[in-house]
Amino acid sequence: MATLPQPVFIKPIRQIIGMGVAGSGAGSQGVVNGVFTISTTTATQTTTLIADAVLEERGDDQMVITEQPVEQGAVISDHAYKLPSRLELTYGWSEGSPQNTTLDPSFLKNLYQQFLGLQVTRTLCKVYTGKRIYENMMIQAIQITTDKETENVLIVRLTMIEILIATTQQVNVPSAAVQAIPQKTAPTISQGGRTLQNAPNFNAINPAVPPPPP
């Protein structure tokens, strides 16, 4: 009797990738002799943090919807808009992590400093969770707890919020000489400085109108 193939369970990799693009002000970060340093860079710097243990992943997506009545046939997008996605993560590492191949005693400390670096440099991150991939996420809050049970482990609680990226386009307006109605469609032209004057008294008595009876 032929044996059926056993199902294979593939565990998704939970990771946070911080991409610092040159010129964005994100810079690069590192640990030199146990001291965390931040410096600017002229090349793309990537920081990848992979979780050893996933304790919790909580995503929050909300929509703001106006309460006033909407006219039939109106553009519904004018009355509802999506808020930035919010993500709360609780990840853990230990000193015996498979990632600590050199058995570095400062492995957890350096890992924690990398999270602080992503936050202080305002780095946009790409987050891979078990259910979804989040783009353009920024670390808002980092929480850790160290007690007698977590002295040799790192439990990080992250609060991340999506940064909404808007695209803009510059439109060049042709000169007034080639426009049919330049007085209405011509671009704004600087008229130089202007001197302000006092406005006339709008409560002045009009001699043509008799005063009201006493």
Side-chain angles (χ1 to χ4, degrees):
M1 181 178 179
T3 59
L4 297 177
Q6 297 296 322
V8 178
F9 175 71
I10 301 177
K11 180 180 179 180
I13 296 179
R14 269 47 174 244
Q15 60 183 357
I16 301 172
I17 301 177
M19 183 70 69
V21 180
S24 65
S28 62
Q29 56 274 343
V31 179
V32 179
N33 297 327
V35 179
F36 177 69
T37 61
I38 301 176
S39 61
T40 58
T41 179
T42 57
T44 301
Q45 179 75 20
T46 304
T47 301
T48 303
L49 301 172
I50 302 176
D52 282 350
V54 179
L55 304 182
E56 186 179 36
E57 293 174 336
R58 180 179 300 177
D60 185 11
D61 291 274
Q62 296 188 23
M63 181 80 71
V64 175
I65 303 175
T66 58
E67 297 182 358
Q68 68 268 21
V70 179
E71 182 181 358
Q72 183 71 28
V75 180
I76 197 64
S77 60
D78 294 339
H79 302 271
Y81 61 92
K82 186 180 181 302
L83 293 177
S85 298
R86 186 181 182 91
L87 188 59
E88 296 181 1
L89 307 172
T90 304
Y91 288 165
W93 292 264
S94 67
E95 287 189 353
S97 168
Q99 302 180 53
N100 189 13
T101 56
T102 61
L103 301 180
D104 183 5
S106 301
F107 170 74
L108 299 180
K109 179 180 178 180
N110 295 341
L111 188 62
Y112 177 44
Q113 294 293 338
Q114 290 186 66
F115 279 108
L116 294 177
L118 292 176
Q119 182 188 45
V120 74
T121 54
R122 284 79 165 171
T123 301
L124 293 180
C125 300
K126 187 175 185 179
V127 183
Y128 291 80
T129 67
K131 303 293 191 302
R132 175 178 165 191
I133 299 176
Y134 292 81
E135 301 275 0
N136 300 323
M137 304 297 291
M138 187 175 292
I139 298 178
Q140 181 189 45
I142 304 175
Q143 295 179 335
I144 65 169
T145 301
T146 302
D147 53 21
K148 65 181 185 300
E149 297 179 354
T150 60
E151 177 64 28
N152 297 318
V153 297
L154 176 64
I155 305 298
V156 178
R157 296 175 180 86
L158 300 175
T159 300
M160 307 188 73
I161 297 180
E162 179 188 13
I163 299 297
L164 301 178
I165 306 298
T167 58
T168 59
Q169 183 178 3
Q170 182 178 0
V171 178
N172 296 324
V173 181
S175 63
V178 297
Q179 297 185 22
I181 313 177
Q183 62 272 22
K184 293 184 178 181
T185 59
T188 303
I189 300 176
S190 176
Q191 300 294 332
R194 290 292 184 268
T195 302
L196 299 180
Q197 299 179 358
N198 294 329
N201 187 356
F202 61 87
N203 289 325
I205 299 176
N206 188 351
V209 179

